[in-house]
Amino acid sequence: ARPASRRPTPGRHRRSPLMLAAQAHKPILRTMTDAPPHTLRAAPVHSPHFPKPLFFETRRDHFNITDTTKWQQAYYVNATFWTPGSGAPVFLCVGGEGPALDGSVVVSSVHCNNAVEWLSETRALMFAVEHRYYGCHNMSACPYSPSDEKPLRWLSSRQALADLATFQRHATSAFGISAASKWVTFGGSYPGMLASFARIKYPRLFFASASSSAPVQAKLDMTEYNDLVADAYALPSVGGSPACKAAIARGHAEVGRRFSSASGRASLVALFSELRGRQPSWLESAANQLRFSGGGVAPFPAQSNDPACLSYGCSIGRVCDVVTSGENRSSLERLAGLANGFYSAAEEEEAA
């Protein structure tokens, strides 16, 4: 529903001591595609400071009675403030986007921290369920096996919702949760959609949903999202300015113009580090043009904007500083400088 970041954004989130401890051991990155390592998000980190993953059994295919295969799905729990039988609410953080879940999700969360911050006040019990396929801890914790001919056939939001219903029943029994405890699902973007769909599809299991930034209409190539991101770069209240928005637009318009000629494509290869090693002819393809610039030629934080961040280009204000400075450089050259700065930072982070 919205463009995914194709590059890491160093310093996007301020890191707590718990998060820093978790990074002591570098995680292994795995993918089912040929995506380069620097574009991947980190796999789950199991720090001794975080709750360990627990597992519940669920069906591989909830809608095919002839498929009896089951697998172990991961989840995390924070019961710090909860008392069994108290009737306090149960918060369920839905996985499905952003970094793969680890134990930080229920104690210092980039996914559902509004729920984490309400735990002491509400005395709630909190769970976070990993989305199927999104960070299998081992092959027993995956719904597919290497021998399956079409391993992605069980990856769908419909199956994911049935997983949440299965988990609710499992947790109610395993943790002795009383009928007086109301379940509230939490999620943002795609997980926000799942959180609201779970409430709609299983109203007897889930009492309410806190669904943030969740598209309400499924649409391929939702360009309206990019329009809202662009508008954010014109807002002085978050570090933007009309000049900043205009500079970004001019730079991308020039990228589009240069796609149409051999000399233009060659100049883009020379300007952008991300295209290093590519032949200019690679940009003749509409698919490759989209891959390079469809979500912007550089990361543009908007929804994740943190005015207090310190890293290169990590906020709207810092991006605008780059694209509006340098009187002797064109808007395209400033964009290339922004993109190359991110690319260099990503390479340094990968090598560290």
Side-chain angles (χ1 to χ4, degrees):
R2 65 180 184 183
S5 175
R6 296 170 295 127
R7 311 167 183 82
T9 51
R12 169 178 278 184
H13 300 288
R14 286 172 286 179
R15 295 178 177 129
S16 69
L18 289 177
M19 291 180 179
L20 292 173
Q23 294 167 351
H25 302 288
K26 200 167 187 177
I28 298 172
L29 303 181
R30 300 180 178 89
T31 178
M32 297 180 72
T33 73
D34 61 353
H38 78 271
T39 67
L40 303 178
R41 294 187 183 274
V45 175
H46 305 307
S47 164
H49 301 279
F50 295 159
K52 297 182 182 299
L54 302 175
F55 299 87
F56 69 101
E57 187 175 77
T58 188
R59 297 177 64 94
R60 179 169 68 178
D61 190 336
H62 294 279
F63 309 102
N64 181 359
I65 60 173
T66 65
D67 186 344
T68 59
T69 303
K70 296 183 179 181
W71 61 288
Q72 299 295 312
Q73 190 165 357
Y75 70 96
Y76 299 87
V77 59
N78 182 345
T80 303
F81 303 99
W82 182 68
T83 301
S86 64
V90 179
F91 295 162
L92 175 58
C93 179
V94 180
E97 187 172 316
L101 298 193
D102 56 39
S104 69
V105 68
V106 290
V107 293
S108 179
S109 179
V110 299
H111 297 271
C112 300
N113 213 56
N114 49 350
V116 172
E117 293 175 355
W118 284 332
L119 292 180
S120 61
E121 177 183 345
T122 61
R123 320 305 290 180
L125 173 63
M126 182 171 179
F127 296 109
V129 174
E130 184 176 81
H131 194 294
R132 56 171 55 206
Y133 291 79
Y134 284 39
C136 298
H137 292 72
N138 52 64
M139 287 313 300
S140 67
C142 276
Y144 66 92
S145 69
S147 61
D148 289 319
E149 183 179 352
K150 297 179 180 178
L152 295 180
R153 77 182 91 169
W154 305 287
L155 176 58
S156 71
S157 57
R158 186 167 173 248
Q159 297 282 3
L161 289 172
D163 289 337
L164 295 178
T166 300
F167 173 75
Q168 195 275 353
R169 298 182 185 103
H170 162 82
T172 295
S173 174
F175 289 82
I177 300 171
S178 72
S181 291
K182 306 299 185 183
W183 285 69
V184 182
T185 55
F186 287 81
S189 194
Y190 168 56
M193 296 170 70
L194 293 180
S196 62
F197 293 166
R199 161 63 181 152
I200 294 168
K201 188 171 179 61
Y202 303 104
R204 293 185 180 182
L205 303 181
F206 302 110
F207 177 76
S209 168
S211 178
S212 303
S213 188
V216 294
Q217 179 182 359
K219 179 182 178 181
L220 181 64
D221 193 16
M222 186 180 285
T223 57
E224 293 86 350
Y225 176 79
N226 286 334
D227 293 339
L228 289 174
V229 171
D231 289 343
Y233 278 79
L235 295 176
S237 60
V238 293
S241 68
C244 177
K245 178 183 176 182
I248 294 171
R250 284 195 304 270
H252 281 91
E254 182 61 24
V255 169
R257 283 189 288 271
R258 296 196 184 197
F259 281 152
S260 62
S261 69
S263 60
R265 292 189 291 270
S267 69
L268 291 175
V269 170
L271 277 171
F272 287 88
S273 298
E274 185 186 353
L275 297 175
R276 188 185 304 153
R278 300 279 190 188
Q279 294 297 318
S281 58
W282 185 82
L283 288 172
E284 293 177 6
S285 159
N288 288 337
Q289 293 173 8
L290 183 63
R291 183 177 180 181
F292 168 59
S293 63
V297 296
F300 290 93
Q303 193 167 331
S304 59
N305 182 54
D306 180 359
C309 71
L310 300 176
S311 301
Y312 180 86
C314 61
S315 67
I316 290 174
R318 289 182 177 272
V319 167
C320 288
D321 287 342
V322 175
V323 300
T324 58
S325 62
E327 293 182 1
N328 297 323
R329 295 189 303 160
S330 68
S331 294
L332 176 60
E333 289 171 330
R334 295 173 191 172
L335 270 189
L338 175 69
N340 294 344
F342 270 108
Y343 193 86
S344 297
E347 287 186 323
E348 292 174 4
E349 189 173 288
E350 182 67 23

